[in-house]
Amino acid sequence: MKKQHTNEAVIFFTLIFILFQFTSCKTLSPTKEKISEMTPTASFDNIIPIPVSVSLTGGTFNLNRETKILFASLNPETEFIAKYLQEQINSITGYELAILPFEEKLTKGNISLIINKELNELSKESYSLIISENLIELKANQPEGLFRGVQTLIQMLFPLKNNLNLTSNHIEFPTLEIKDNPRYEWRGVMLDIARHFFSVNDVKKLIDLIALYKFNRLHLHLTDDQGWRIEIKSWPELTEIGGSTQVGGGYGGYYTQEDYSEIVRYAMERYITIVPEIDMPGHTNAALASYPELNCDDIPPELYTGIKVGFSSLCLDKEITYDFIKDVIKEVSDLTPGAYIHIGGDEAYATDSLKYINFIERVQQIIESNNKKMIGWEEISQAKLGSNSVIQFWRKSDYVLKGLQQGSKVIFSPSSKVYMDMKYNPNTELGLNWAGYIEVSDSYNWDPLTQINGISDKQILGVEAPLWTETILNFSDIEFMLFPRLPGIAEIGWSPSFKRNWDEYKRRLANHGNYWKKIGLNYYKSTDINWD
Ligand code: ACM
């Protein structure tokens, strides 16, 4: 009996000891789960726009402070891209990676940016990203493709919550292969600088934000009733008088030609083309107020600071109007390396409709004589268009069909889906609602191909999200109206439609919220999305 008791006691105390060891082990030294919880992990499935193909290969690559960014030394653009990547990684992780030109060997542990002219890519923006256990290789046929691919790599870091400098000595990347190329050539954002003026610095901040989502066009609406915002040396009063105010009154502002060139340069470094818009023959009160001779009665109107549309028109019967347009288009074309000049052409309700058609045809010739191509809002399809001219859809599909019949291509900016100045809902303080309320889901759940019956993908140049600024006063307002809707427009323009799914998209979008919080972006916390 006694012996049995002793045995039971031994078993009992052994069990207690084992249990104690097990629990104390958990608290004193971290378990495997704890370690991996602490190791920051880059994510493969939060990328916006969603890539064409992502295949996981089952391993991990560790990025640490010793990781170098290697670039092809023969190409100065690649060095800029390497620096850009370095800065972005630094701002997200705190790591300061070295950048070096690479010699012939891709060394272990590094990120290599490779231009391979032999890669037979679908577009100059195509890229492939291969992450293996030894190295990260980003390859493209053109630097532009590398730049788009760099955004994918950067976005893999978006879900990381903290600056990692203090907490971790490496970041784990899943090994994978991504192959990616855009669906549409034109993926644009438009900013209205005329209703309210925004500084060069604001435009640069916007360029940086849209570059992250692989946008490649920034359309600047430079002139309207309320303001003329680009210096024209041969017509200086346009900015002296016409640039002097804005919606609501007070001083407006304008870009000198040097300012404008600086925007063009900054955008070009990020493979974004500036598309300048000089709106005519309507939306011209600022020009009419600056030069009496542009008015049929030679009497200049007062400057305008309200938000009505459709009341102004250049005088189409006077030759001086065409001299004016020739001078303006020449100066703007000379400052603009991009192929397109936007001539507005919308809401010309104060212009005789027959004269309007003749006017658009003359302006088209002026644009072409400056070796540029014309874009206009959909109304321009009433005129006879050359096949290089492009129409921008905003409201009426009949106009689009008329343009397509003439061989023009179309950019999709349906106002009820992508006008970023529309309120999210009736409680949104900023914005207007004439095209409806646009929640995040509304701006995501549409496709260019199904907007108008009988149209094919070949006729679609792309998509563009305009932000009109009647109620938008500063950069924080711009952020609030663009985010979180804008990334969805980027995805519509870039990703194949079969890859898009709202329920899956909104999960990815929620993770971008982490990054926006980190950079202090003022985004709308839509209840559509489960933000963390
Ligand atoms: C436009 O919204 N008037 C193009």
Side-chain angles (χ1 to χ4, degrees):
M1 285 292 276
K2 203 166 182 233
K3 180 124 183 56
Q4 211 181 340
H5 268 135
T6 315
N7 278 348
E8 278 170 3
V10 169
I11 291 168
F12 177 76
F13 283 111
T14 309
L15 277 174
I16 294 280
F17 180 74
I18 290 172
L19 204 63
F20 176 76
Q21 282 293 313
F22 190 70
T23 50
S24 68
C25 206
K26 265 200 131 172
T27 48
L28 292 178
S29 68
T31 62
K32 207 160 178 225
E33 287 100 307
K34 279 264 168 175
I35 289 171
S36 72
E37 234 175 63
M38 280 159 33
T39 302
T41 306
S43 138
F44 67 92
D45 66 349
N46 287 305
I47 298 159
I48 301 175
I50 191 164
V52 171
S53 82
V54 180
S55 348
L56 290 178
T57 49
T60 46
F61 169 88
N62 289 336
L63 184 141
N64 59 40
R65 288 184 183 79
E66 308 313 313
T67 301
K68 295 176 191 61
I69 302 173
L70 307 177
F71 63 93
S73 51
L74 292 179
N75 192 318
E77 289 180 51
T78 320
E79 181 170 3
F80 174 83
I81 296 168
K83 282 196 188 129
Y84 175 95
L85 176 62
Q86 178 200 42
E87 280 164 22
Q88 297 286 331
I89 290 178
N90 179 252
S91 82
I92 298 174
T93 65
Y95 291 5
E96 276 188 52
L97 306 187
I99 55 173
L100 292 170
F102 66 65
E103 311 307 333
E104 63 282 6
K105 275 239 184 79
L106 307 176
T107 43
K108 218 173 141 170
N110 296 324
I111 302 172
S112 298
L113 306 181
I114 303 160
I115 301 277
N116 184 344
K117 296 279 177 205
E118 269 133 55
L119 287 175
N120 190 11
E121 300 286 20
L122 292 165
S123 137
K124 62 181 179 178
E125 297 183 277
S126 303
Y127 68 92
S128 53
L129 174 63
I130 301 152
I131 303 181
S132 55
E133 296 193 352
N134 285 333
L135 73 162
I136 296 183
E137 286 173 276
L138 187 57
K139 295 187 197 172
N141 185 292
Q142 304 282 329
E144 187 163 349
L146 274 189
F147 188 78
R148 304 294 173 229
V150 155
Q151 309 310 324
T152 298
L153 192 55
I154 292 164
Q155 285 197 8
M156 291 183 74
L157 300 168
F158 274 10
L160 303 181
K161 288 209 171 79
N162 305 308
N163 183 318
L164 307 173
N165 233 353
L166 301 174
T167 53
S168 172
N169 56 16
H170 71 274
I171 301 163
E172 274 181 15
F173 278 75
T175 63
L176 51 71
E177 275 194 51
I178 292 179
K179 283 209 69 66
D180 207 6
N181 59 271
R183 177 179 177 190
Y184 294 121
E185 175 185 333
W186 188 291
R187 303 173 313 279
V189 176
M190 189 211 84
L191 182 65
D192 171 8
I193 313 280
R195 270 50 177 271
H196 281 103
F197 180 68
F198 295 92
S199 67
V200 173
N201 218 25
D202 283 341
V203 177
K204 287 184 175 176
K205 284 194 277 183
L206 178 63
I207 289 168
D208 281 331
L209 286 174
I210 70 176
L212 285 172
Y213 293 95
K214 301 187 174 76
F215 282 100
N216 63 3
R217 299 288 190 288
L218 178 62
H219 166 181
L220 295 177
H221 182 77
L222 290 167
T223 68
D224 212 303
D225 291 318
Q226 298 85 348
W228 186 286
R229 308 294 180 207
I230 173 129
E231 177 190 22
I232 302 295
K233 293 195 191 280
S234 52
W235 295 74
E237 304 297 347
L238 289 170
T239 42
E240 283 307 310
I241 298 173
S244 66
T245 191
Q246 58 182 352
V247 168
Y251 184 69
Y254 64 91
Y255 301 138
T256 62
Q257 296 201 348
E258 291 70 28
D259 290 338
Y260 177 80
S261 296
E262 173 59 12
I263 292 172
V264 166
R265 186 200 62 77
Y266 192 85
M268 202 149 64
E269 274 184 341
R270 288 149 185 81
Y271 302 92
I272 292 174
T273 304
I274 295 295
V275 182
E277 178 181 350
I278 306 294
D279 203 347
M280 57 183 119
H283 290 279
T284 41
N285 191 77
L288 297 168
S290 308
Y291 285 97
E293 57 269 45
L294 298 177
N295 297 271
C296 286
D297 57 7
D298 289 326
I299 300 172
E302 296 287 305
L303 289 167
Y304 183 66
T305 59
I307 65 167
K308 283 197 220 118
V309 297
F311 61 88
S312 58
S313 179
L314 294 171
C315 183
L316 305 198
D317 303 328
K318 283 180 158 182
E319 259 328 283
I320 192 164
T321 297
Y322 299 94
D323 295 341
F324 162 74
I325 293 170
K326 279 180 200 155
D327 291 341
V328 169
I329 297 300
K330 164 108 182 57
E331 290 195 35
V332 172
S333 296
D334 287 350
L335 295 168
T336 304
Y340 287 95
I341 305 287
H342 202 303
I343 61 132
D346 57 322
E347 299 176 307
Y349 307 136
T351 310
D352 173 88
S353 31
L354 279 178
K355 287 180 188 165
Y356 172 87
I357 289 171
N358 183 44
F359 172 82
I360 296 296
E361 289 165 7
R362 276 190 79 172
V363 173
Q364 180 171 247
Q365 276 172 4
I366 295 170
I367 300 275
E368 287 174 359
S369 71
N370 283 282
N371 294 318
K372 297 292 181 190
K373 299 177 190 174
M374 179 174 81
I375 310 186
W377 296 103
E378 63 198 19
E379 290 95 320
I380 66 161
S381 70
Q382 297 169 86
K384 192 162 174 342
L385 299 179
S387 60
N388 278 333
S389 295
V390 169
I391 47 174
Q392 187 165 7
F393 170 57
W394 63 284
R395 192 161 57 168
K396 289 201 177 132
S397 48
D398 285 354
Y399 282 140
V400 175
L401 290 169
K402 216 168 172 155
L404 296 179
Q405 277 156 15
Q406 304 193 56
S408 292
K409 286 194 174 182
V410 56
I411 296 167
F412 271 86
S413 300
S415 45
S416 61
K417 307 285 184 201
V418 306
Y419 267 31
M420 298 279 122
D421 55 315
M422 291 300 115
K423 291 174 183 287
Y424 292 97
N425 60 52
N427 298 324
T428 312
E429 279 180 26
L430 299 171
L432 302 173
N433 65 2
W434 59 262
Y437 297 106
I438 306 181
E439 250 302 344
V440 187
S441 53
D442 304 316
S443 63
Y444 184 79
N445 283 319
W446 68 280
D447 192 82
L449 202 49
T450 54
Q451 285 286 293
I452 297 175
N453 276 341
I455 162 167
S456 78
D457 243 348
K458 280 206 219 63
Q459 296 172 301
I460 302 173
L461 194 58
V463 294
E464 188 175 293
L467 179 61
W468 304 99
T469 59
E470 286 93 337
T471 67
I472 307 302
L473 305 185
N474 53 45
F475 199 75
S476 172
D477 293 351
I478 292 178
E479 291 176 341
F480 187 81
M481 297 312 275
L482 295 184
F483 290 89
R485 289 183 290 203
L486 194 64
I489 313 307
E491 182 148 306
I492 292 169
W494 179 282
S495 308
S497 56
F498 73 86
K499 295 284 284 196
R500 296 207 287 117
N501 170 295
W502 166 247
D503 287 324
E504 189 277 329
Y505 171 74
K506 69 182 188 187
R507 182 195 56 71
R508 277 182 284 134
L509 191 60
N511 281 318
H512 284 233
N514 284 328
Y515 174 72
W516 300 337
K517 244 187 262 167
K518 200 161 18 188
I519 62 170
L521 188 96
N522 178 29
Y523 64 101
Y524 161 61
K525 318 281 181 308
S526 168
T527 52
D528 273 4
I529 315 295
N530 290 322
W531 308 105
D532 270 352

